[in-house]
Amino acid sequence: MSVTVIRNADIVVAWDKDSQSHIYVKNADVAFENGKLTFVGKGYTGAADAEQDGRGFMVMPGLVNIHSHPASEPLNKSILDELGSPGLYNSALYEFMPIIRPDAEGAEAAWKVAYAELLKSGVTTLADLSVAHPSWIDLAGQSGLRVCITPMFRTARWYTKNGHVVEYEWDEAVGEKAMAQALEMVDAAEAHPSGRLFSMLCPAQIDTCSEGLIKESYAEAQRRKIPWQIHAAQSTVEFHEITRRHGVSPVQWLEQLNVLGETSIVSHGIFLDDYPRNSWHTRRDLDLLVETRTAVAHCPTVFMRRGIAMRDFGRYLRAGVRLGIGTDTYPHNMLEEMRHVGYVARMMAENPRTVTSGEIFTAATVGGADLLGRDDIGRLEAGCNADLVLVNLAHPMMRPGYDPIRSMIYAAAERAVDTVYVGGERVVEKGQCLTIDFEQAAEDLHAAQQRTVQRAPQEDWAKRPVTAYAPHSFSGLS
């Protein structure tokens, strides 16, 4: 295989072993061969079969997204932006999200749109939490991304008959069958010829999975030596449901099931026992996460839309909670998500110093890699995978450029992402995705959303048209 060298980059965000952190290195080179980094630093003198001029660019590690729903969330765009059930603490999970779902063809378009958005925003590794679909593995393989295939399964479905009470329809056999299908997807991912697919197990939500399914799936993940993730402490409804059933918080219920640990990830982890609106009597959850080394997948955008936020990212970090970042919702723009991590944390803490941009970038790179059990991604270091991003420092949105990471997160975002490599293969060039026809996928998704809007009243307890609960910004479109 040929050696590729990015020569004389203005800035390289390199990994420093001594400090165990990213550092800026000016006027540096990056070389890779056979999909692996062979040199990161100043003055490369080895072989070079292909060279790329790094002048005017920052080379940084590809971002690691630990929580996302590409098969469904892109279709929700412009419908769920301002929507939450007033009788269910403003969550959209229970009344509206089960209605606004893509058909099989729409799911494929959603996947393509999300994968392209992720690549264009510098993501090279993605934990994809979706429901089993026959095209999933092929779409992930074709995307060029490094994808952690994470099929969701559950024992019950939630629904509401009135917009203020959530009910659950339980079926143990359905849960067991769905987990068996998930394991088949996991096996297919691990065997994929690209070498870029790996896996995680995910009983979907703490309130929709039986005790047996949670414990069984955790044991299977331990046996396979893969991570395990579950949505928990994600809503007021769920917190009250778990305390009603078991007399303890969601995090404490997971502790009683013996499924907290270093390979476990709690999706969201917002509604801990000390969250003010819960008014619960214990104060153990944050310490439990730290003591068990259980991680939290933080995805602020989907919650900030509904006036909900973690209390706060910096507090969790200082306590010692292991954190990663994900794009739970549309747009699947990791750089914008990182911006929201900072802004929301500072708002909740009422303190601009609660979290730094360096801490956010670390959570989005080596932090996410750690949660996925990987030490070969999320950093630029010889021996790691050649997953890297070239950011155009001359882009107007990157100017002035006192601190390029901050300019990228808080101003430029994906607009300054020029080139992306995954495993040494170029998947984005001049800001355009090379593996997916983004424009066509977006048109297909638009058509899929129109089909969903037509179908939605049939799924709604009140049989309402979508415009009844998600009216247009102005009249004239109906």
Side-chain angles (χ1 to χ4, degrees):
M1 293 286 289
S2 62
V3 176
T4 299
V5 180
I6 301 170
R7 185 81 70 181
N8 200 30
D10 282 15
I11 297 170
V12 172
V13 183
W15 184 251
D16 180 61
K17 281 186 177 179
D18 293 336
S19 64
Q20 286 294 290
S21 69
H22 299 295
I23 60 171
Y24 286 136
V25 181
K26 296 173 68 176
N27 303 316
D29 305 325
V30 176
F32 51 90
E33 181 182 16
N34 296 330
K36 299 287 185 180
L37 295 168
T38 57
F39 182 90
V40 179
K42 290 177 175 284
Y44 177 75
T45 59
D49 299 299
E51 292 198 15
Q52 181 170 350
D53 188 355
R55 288 176 296 179
F57 292 98
M58 174 175 69
V59 183
M60 70 179 201
L63 303 174
V64 180
N65 182 328
I66 65 161
H67 184 99
S68 140
H69 302 292
S72 56
E73 278 296 320
L75 184 128
N76 295 331
K77 188 186 299 182
S78 83
I79 294 177
L80 294 187
D81 306 76
E82 302 163 2
L83 191 57
S85 299
L88 296 171
Y89 307 95
N90 290 324
S91 174
L93 283 170
Y94 310 100
E95 184 175 13
F96 301 116
M97 292 185 71
I99 299 172
I100 311 301
R101 306 295 291 181
D103 53 26
E105 184 181 350
E108 292 189 22
W111 254 307
K112 291 177 182 179
V113 165
Y115 284 164
E117 288 178 342
L118 289 161
L119 285 167
K120 287 160 66 71
S121 66
V123 171
T124 54
T125 298
L126 166 71
D128 181 345
L129 282 67
S130 296
V131 176
H133 185 288
S135 300
W136 185 3
I137 296 293
D138 287 341
L139 288 167
Q142 293 162 12
S143 72
L145 280 158
R146 200 175 298 282
V147 182
C148 181
I149 298 291
T150 310
M152 295 186 295
F153 47 92
R154 60 186 186 176
T155 321
R157 73 174 185 93
W158 56 41
Y159 63 96
T160 180
K161 294 177 181 176
N162 54 24
H164 63 267
V165 175
V166 175
E167 300 183 54
Y168 297 82
E169 182 179 78
W170 293 88
D171 192 323
E172 293 283 350
V174 166
E176 291 294 332
K177 181 179 179 181
M179 180 172 158
Q181 291 176 331
L183 292 174
E184 291 176 4
M185 296 290 294
V186 163
D187 290 337
E190 298 286 352
H192 194 268
S194 71
R196 288 184 282 97
L197 307 189
F198 58 115
S199 57
M200 177 161 53
L201 284 183
C202 182
Q205 299 97 10
I206 189 173
D207 51 333
T208 63
C209 292
S210 67
E211 176 179 339
L213 194 70
I214 292 174
K215 294 170 76 171
E216 182 184 353
S217 64
Y218 180 76
E220 185 64 26
Q222 293 290 100
R223 187 182 73 79
R224 291 169 176 259
K225 295 182 171 57
I226 60 176
W228 181 88
Q229 185 165 173
I230 188 168
H231 290 82
Q234 71 166 334
S235 77
T236 305
V237 169
E238 175 223 279
F239 188 92
H240 290 325
E241 179 68 22
I242 297 301
T243 57
R244 182 188 66 79
R245 291 181 196 171
H246 307 296
V248 294
S249 72
V251 169
Q252 290 167 41
W253 176 236
L254 293 175
E255 179 205 21
Q256 291 186 13
L257 297 180
N258 294 313
V259 297
L260 297 181
E262 193 160 5
T263 59
S264 298
I265 303 171
V266 171
S267 305
H268 309 311
I270 294 172
F271 292 89
L272 304 187
D273 59 358
D274 66 354
Y275 200 78
R277 74 168 65 174
N278 292 338
S279 300
W280 195 243
H281 63 93
T282 64
R283 294 294 182 270
R284 295 184 56 221
D285 288 0
L286 195 65
D287 288 340
L288 272 176
L289 294 172
V290 176
E291 291 164 10
T292 59
R293 289 191 52 75
T294 300
V296 170
H298 182 46
C299 314
T301 303
V302 71
F303 294 97
M304 62 186 276
R305 286 185 181 138
R306 296 171 183 97
I308 299 167
M310 173 186 279
R311 207 185 125 253
D312 68 273
F313 191 81
R315 181 176 78 105
Y316 282 53
L317 271 182
R318 288 188 295 277
V321 178
R322 296 161 62 230
L323 289 160
I325 297 170
T327 54
D328 182 278
T329 187
Y330 60 90
H332 282 77
N333 187 318
M334 188 69 164
L335 292 167
E336 287 190 353
E337 197 79 34
M338 292 161 66
R339 181 190 306 160
H340 294 159
V341 170
Y343 286 164
V344 171
R346 293 167 195 141
M347 286 288 293
M348 292 300 289
E350 299 183 353
N351 180 354
R353 294 170 295 282
T354 191
V355 65
T356 69
S357 302
E359 289 168 334
I360 295 168
F361 188 84
T362 296
T365 51
V366 288
D370 173 49
L371 272 55
L372 295 178
R374 305 285 297 253
D375 61 5
D376 58 346
I377 58 176
R379 67 187 76 186
L380 296 187
E381 181 182 27
C384 290
N385 285 310
D387 298 356
L388 49 98
V389 179
L390 276 69
V391 177
N392 180 6
L393 295 175
H395 192 285
M397 292 298 291
M398 289 293 290
R399 296 300 195 195
Y402 173 77
D403 186 304
I405 290 295
R406 289 209 288 265
S407 292
M408 178 183 66
I409 293 173
Y410 300 114
E414 84 289 353
R415 288 167 289 200
V417 172
D418 183 90
T419 305
V420 178
Y421 290 91
V422 179
E425 296 294 326
R426 197 176 309 205
V427 290
V428 172
E429 184 173 20
K430 298 190 184 304
Q432 300 303 308
C433 186
L434 303 178
T435 57
I436 297 165
D437 187 338
F438 184 35
E439 288 74 14
Q440 184 59 56
E443 287 300 318
D444 293 342
L445 185 64
H446 176 67
Q449 188 187 72
Q450 291 180 314
R451 296 194 299 273
T452 296
V453 167
Q454 292 297 316
R455 188 174 63 245
Q458 303 167 31
E459 309 296 328
D460 180 21
W461 67 271
K463 306 303 179 187
R464 297 163 292 186
V466 172
T467 50
Y469 47 81
H472 297 121
S473 298
F474 303 104
S475 63
L477 290 182
S478 299

